């Protein structure tokens, strides 16, 4: 199975939703791409992420990325591709719609991942192979946490910090991206990401991004992250 198909599948499995191409997903709304179901209630991540932020983030921001991606590919053959395929092969997408696919498609895929790697029963540390990779390749959990937090803090303006698997180097790495840029476009497979756009935290934390980043560690669903790592190793 090709990597991009595998990852599209794992995103779908992990979120309980289908980030699919047109045919399957179109039935409910008639649109090509749809907002995946949120895997928990808006208040599930309190007190770390408040219900109002979750509701606006999901129903307004994520929904707008889905609508934007649908508008961008409407009536083009690119609507046959999954969002993951579009971002993985972004340079193949015609210039006329490339920026829209990068921003709106990136927003859709990044948020679809984001909801699934958090849980009201999250926190703690990873186990098994992922823990071993973090120990051996990133110097242990504490050093990983410091470097991930640093990436989140140093991302100027809007963007994301990531833990990814890099298939070329065969290792896990920490990085950040601007705006809604996806690590997939650079050949990295995202395992864990934190949204550091102000819309992700401003209602509760205002300008205190550091507190939000610290709080995020309490809701990380390490089982979901480890499942993505296992998928990435097999892809
Ligand atoms: Mn967001």
């Amino acid at each position: 199975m090709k990597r991009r198909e595998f990852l599209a599948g794992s995103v779908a499995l992990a979120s309980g939703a289908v980030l699919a191409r047109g045919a399957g997903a179109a039935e409910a709304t008639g649109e090509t791409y749809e907002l995946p179901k949120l895997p928990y209630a808006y208040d599930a991540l309190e007190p770390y992420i408040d219900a109002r932020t979750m509701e606006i983030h999901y129903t307004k921001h994520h929904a707008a990325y889905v609508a934007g991606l649908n508008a961008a590919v409407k009536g083009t053959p690119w609507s046959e591709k999954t969002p993951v395929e579009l971002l993985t092969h972004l340079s193949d997408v015609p210039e006329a719609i490339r920026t829209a696919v990068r921003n709106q498609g990136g927003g859709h895929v990044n948020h679809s991942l984001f909801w699934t790697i958090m849980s009201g029963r999250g926190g703690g540390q990873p186990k098994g192979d992922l823990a071993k990779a973090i120990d051996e390749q990133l110097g242990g959990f504490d050093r990983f946490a410091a470097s991930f937090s640093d990436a989140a803090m140093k991302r100027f303006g809007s963007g994301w910090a990531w833990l990814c698997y890099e298939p070329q180097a065969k290792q896990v790495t920490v990085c950040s991206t601007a705006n809604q840029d996806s690590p997939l476009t650079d050949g990295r497979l995202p395992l864990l990401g934190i949204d550091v756009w102000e819309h992700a935290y401003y209602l509760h934390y205002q300008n205190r991004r550091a507190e939000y980043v610290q709080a995020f560690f309490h809701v990380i669903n390490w089982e979901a992250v480890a499942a993505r790592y296992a998928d990435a190793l097999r892809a």
Side-chain angles (χ1 to χ4, degrees), residues 57 61-62 65 107 111 114-115 160 180 195-197 199-200:
H57 201 173
H61 293 275
H62 189 171
Y65 295 123
H111 288 86
F114 189 52
W115 312 132
W160 294 73
Q180 293 297 351
D195 185 344
V196 295
W197 284 58
H199 70 227

